[in-house]
């Protein structure tokens, strides 16, 4: 079970809405986690959320039921208490041995040195282990210097945030929420400028005929000929999309040497299920509106809309109306529209009811 699913089950159990089957799944997971470190990949915020949810539910169970049931309830939650102890230990270690902020942009340098940026407005200098300055962060943009340093850096953007990136060759990249990009510090002594993307990003690439620019987006490669384009390649999505705004790109799959060439105003789509690469004419503005903070939805499945909202607003959305999953919707929202306004518009326009639960630092939206 993923930690996201466990979070949802823990919250449902706290609210008393877990089915018997869900309770058994939750209890079973609690028992299994005693025998392995299943919390290693959890973020601090998630650990705190689960800790509080479980503690409150345990307290409520013990204090509200009669004496014979107290022991039964506490026995059932014995494994959950083990989780709480593991969580508490981990949180103590993090707080006392590191300065990892919640929901911060993360930069990992060659060799493992890390920087965390809860604030991306204030100027910060990025140095490697030997004290050489590689880049600086200021006004929501990470800018690399034209340096002779080698090695790769990894930049991760959490849900609810975006960040600009300027590479050492002056190519600019706008990274959307929930994205991770791997790239060289400099492009000296390389035959091509290759970067790897998981998530979504908009590229404005500096032309260099001697060093082609290549974006590896999971199952496809995008070869760039000096251009502006958008790549949408989230791991959990069913397809990967490349939309060309200006210039020219060639899109190819890993096992296919044929290249699909795009002209401005065209989109290449790769279906993970069918393993098929196709192209179609589109309005690029629909696919790049996120850069300016707008939310544009055109002929999009409800499930895909919910994923987009989770990333954009850093919320968890639980859909209790599965019949809506494949329904197609259209909508457009101005820059910095609050999530409550977005959900209310769906309620008014499409009669989709919802409930907002704000718990600790996390917001959960339940579609009813």
């Amino acid at each position: 079970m993923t930690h996201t699913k466990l979070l949802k089950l823990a919250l449902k159990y706290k609210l008393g809405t877990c089915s018997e089957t869900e309770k058994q799944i939750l209890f079973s997971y609690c028992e299994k986690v005693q025998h392995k470190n299943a919390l290693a990949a959890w973020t601090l915020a998630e650990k705190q959320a689960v800790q509080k949810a479980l503690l409150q539910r345990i307290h409520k169970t013990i204090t509200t039921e009669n004496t014979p049931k107290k022991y039964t309830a506490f026995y059932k939650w014995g494994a959950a208490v083990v989780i709480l102890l593991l969580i508490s230990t981990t949180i103590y270690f993090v707080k006392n041995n590191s300065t990892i902020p919640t929901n911060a942009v993360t930069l990992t340098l060659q060799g493992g040195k890390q920087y965390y940026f809860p604030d991306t407005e204030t100027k910060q200098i990025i140095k490697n282990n030997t004290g050489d300055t590689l880049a600086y962060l200021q006004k929501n943009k990470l800018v690399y210097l034209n340096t002779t340093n080698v090695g790769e850096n990894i930049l991760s953007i959490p849900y609810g945030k975006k960040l600009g990136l300027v590479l050492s060759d002056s190519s600019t990249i706008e990274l959307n929420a929930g994205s991770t990009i791997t790239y060289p510090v400099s492009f000296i002594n390389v035959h091509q400028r290759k970067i790897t993307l998981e998530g979504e990003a908009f590229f404005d690439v500096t032309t260099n005929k001697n060093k082609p620019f290549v974006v590896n987006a999971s199952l496809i490669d995008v070869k760039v000929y000096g251009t502006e384009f958008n790549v949408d390649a989230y791991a959990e999505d069913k397809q990967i999309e490349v939309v060309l705004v200006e210039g020219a790109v060639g899109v190819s799959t890993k096992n296919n040497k044929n290249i699909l060439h795009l002209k401005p105003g065209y989109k290449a789509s790769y279906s993970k299920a069918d393993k098929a690469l196709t192209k179609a004419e589109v309005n690029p503005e629909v696919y790049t509106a996120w850069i300016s903070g707008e939310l544009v939805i055109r002929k999009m499945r409800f499930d895909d809309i919910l994923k987009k909202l989770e990333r954009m607003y850093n919320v968890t959305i639980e859909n209790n109306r599965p019949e809506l999953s494949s329904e197609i919707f259209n909508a457009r929202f101005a820059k910095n529209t609050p999530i409550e306004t977005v959900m209310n518009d769906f309620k008014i326009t499409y009669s989709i009811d919802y409930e907002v639960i704000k718990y600790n630092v996390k917001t959960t939206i339940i579609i009813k």
Side-chain angles (χ1 to χ4, degrees), residues 81-100:
V81 174
V82 174
I83 291 181
L84 296 180
L85 292 174
L86 286 171
I87 292 171
S88 299
T89 302
T90 305
I91 291 174
Y92 176 84
F93 178 81
V94 168
K95 284 185 175 180
N96 288 274
N97 294 276
S98 183
T99 54
I100 303 176

Side-chain angles (χ1 to χ4, degrees), residues 9-16 18 23 26-27 57 61 77:
L9 282 185
L11 179 60
K12 288 184 72 174
Y13 193 87
K14 174 185 177 296
L15 298 173
C18 261
K23 288 179 184 178
L26 183 59
F27 294 153
R57 189 61 185 177
T61 302
W77 278 97

Side-chain angles (χ1 to χ4, degrees), residues 19-226:
S19 66
E20 288 302 318
T21 300
E22 289 173 327
K23 288 179 184 178
Q24 291 303 317
I25 292 173
L26 183 59
F27 294 153
S28 175
Y29 183 86
C30 290
E31 291 170 355
K32 290 178 181 178
V33 79
Q34 296 179 71
H35 306 294
K36 60 182 180 179
N37 183 13
L39 304 173
W42 291 30
T43 65
L44 181 59
E46 289 167 338
K47 292 169 187 168
Q48 290 174 326
V50 173
Q51 183 187 42
K52 190 172 181 181
L54 294 178
L55 277 173
Q56 290 185 347
R57 189 61 185 177
I58 293 168
H59 177 74
K60 181 179 179 181
T61 302
I62 294 174
T63 56
T64 58
E65 302 208 13
N66 57 40
T67 304
K69 292 183 179 179
K70 287 179 186 176
Y71 296 101
T72 303
F74 190 78
Y75 174 77
K76 283 184 178 180
W77 278 97
V81 174
V82 174
I83 291 181
L84 296 180
L85 292 174
L86 286 171
I87 292 171
S88 299
T89 302
T90 305
I91 291 174
Y92 176 84
F93 178 81
V94 168
K95 284 185 175 180
N96 288 274
N97 294 276
S98 183
T99 54
I100 303 176
T102 301
N103 199 38
V105 172
T106 303
L107 175 65
T108 304
L109 307 184
Q110 184 84 11
K113 183 178 181 179
Q114 289 187 313
Y115 285 86
Y116 303 96
F117 310 120
D119 171 24
T120 56
E121 287 283 348
T122 305
K123 186 171 183 178
Q124 300 183 58
I125 304 299
I126 313 303
K127 295 185 177 183
N128 61 14
N129 289 328
T130 59
D132 297 325
T133 299
L134 304 180
Y136 63 88
L137 177 73
Q138 187 177 26
K139 296 181 179 179
N140 293 316
K141 188 168 290 187
L142 179 60
V143 181
Y144 276 77
L145 306 179
N146 189 4
T147 175
T148 57
N149 280 272
V150 295
E152 289 189 330
N153 286 182
I154 303 172
L155 182 62
S156 297
I157 315 300
Y159 280 10
K161 292 189 177 181
K162 297 182 296 183
L163 189 70
L165 172 64
V166 180
L167 301 178
S168 60
D169 68 344
S170 298
S171 295
T172 62
I173 305 171
E174 295 293 332
L175 290 155
N176 206 351
S179 299
T180 297
I181 187 169
T182 304
Y183 52 93
V185 172
S186 68
F187 297 102
I188 61 172
N189 300 325
V190 296
H191 298 295
Q192 63 180 10
R193 296 169 290 167
K194 188 172 184 178
I195 65 99
T196 302
L197 172 71
E198 180 180 315
E200 185 170 21
F202 180 82
F203 296 81
D204 185 354
V205 176
T206 300
T207 303
N208 185 338
K209 294 181 180 180
N210 297 322
K211 295 183 179 182
F213 196 99
V214 178
V215 179
N216 169 233
S218 181
L219 301 172
I220 68 169
D221 285 329
V222 183
K223 189 173 183 179
V224 184
Y225 307 105

Side-chain angles (χ1 to χ4, degrees), residues 108-357:
T108 304
L109 307 184
Q110 184 84 11
K113 183 178 181 179
Q114 289 187 313
Y115 285 86
Y116 303 96
F117 310 120
D119 171 24
T120 56
E121 287 283 348
T122 305
K123 186 171 183 178
Q124 300 183 58
I125 304 299
I126 313 303
K127 295 185 177 183
N128 61 14
N129 289 328
T130 59
D132 297 325
T133 299
L134 304 180
Y136 63 88
L137 177 73
Q138 187 177 26
K139 296 181 179 179
N140 293 316
K141 188 168 290 187
L142 179 60
V143 181
Y144 276 77
L145 306 179
N146 189 4
T147 175
T148 57
N149 280 272
V150 295
E152 289 189 330
N153 286 182
I154 303 172
L155 182 62
S156 297
I157 315 300
Y159 280 10
K161 292 189 177 181
K162 297 182 296 183
L163 189 70
L165 172 64
V166 180
L167 301 178
S168 60
D169 68 344
S170 298
S171 295
T172 62
I173 305 171
E174 295 293 332
L175 290 155
N176 206 351
S179 299
T180 297
I181 187 169
T182 304
Y183 52 93
V185 172
S186 68
F187 297 102
I188 61 172
N189 300 325
V190 296
H191 298 295
Q192 63 180 10
R193 296 169 290 167
K194 188 172 184 178
I195 65 99
T196 302
L197 172 71
E198 180 180 315
E200 185 170 21
F202 180 82
F203 296 81
D204 185 354
V205 176
T206 300
T207 303
N208 185 338
K209 294 181 180 180
N210 297 322
K211 295 183 179 182
F213 196 99
V214 178
V215 179
N216 169 233
S218 181
L219 301 172
I220 68 169
D221 285 329
V222 183
K223 189 173 183 179
V224 184
Y225 307 105
T227 189
E228 295 181 6
F229 62 100
N230 195 81
V231 179
D232 186 345
Y234 287 102
E236 65 269 26
D237 288 353
K238 295 181 179 179
Q239 63 180 18
I240 303 170
E241 297 179 337
V242 180
V243 177
L244 182 61
V245 176
E246 182 180 309
V249 298
V251 182
S252 63
T253 58
K254 295 295 183 182
N255 55 358
N256 191 342
K257 294 182 179 180
N258 295 327
I259 299 177
L260 187 65
H261 293 279
L262 296 184
K263 298 188 297 185
Y266 277 80
K267 176 184 73 172
S269 300
Y270 177 78
S271 170
K272 295 178 182 179
D274 301 334
K275 297 182 180 178
L277 186 62
T278 59
K279 70 176 179 179
E281 191 171 7
V282 296
N283 178 6
E285 188 270 341
V286 171
Y287 298 87
T288 59
W290 64 267
I291 300 171
S292 61
E294 289 185 85
L295 174 61
V296 178
I297 297 167
R298 289 290 181 270
K299 297 180 181 180
M300 189 176 293
R301 294 172 67 254
F302 191 62
D303 272 357
D304 294 332
I305 294 171
L306 298 187
K307 289 178 186 176
K308 183 180 285 288
L309 294 177
E310 285 184 323
R311 297 169 189 145
M312 185 173 184
Y313 292 98
N314 189 28
V315 299
T316 298
I317 304 179
E318 180 179 330
N319 182 18
N320 289 329
R321 293 184 59 184
E323 73 276 7
L324 291 174
S325 296
S326 297
E327 291 290 321
I328 304 298
F329 295 90
N330 293 286
R332 182 165 191 151
F333 300 94
K335 180 179 179 179
N336 298 326
T337 300
I339 182 63
E340 289 82 2
T341 301
V342 174
M343 298 309 303
N344 197 50
D345 188 80
F346 273 95
K347 180 177 181 178
I348 295 172
T349 307
Y350 299 109
S351 300
I352 299 175
D353 201 7
Y354 68 96
E355 179 184 3
V356 177
I357 302 174

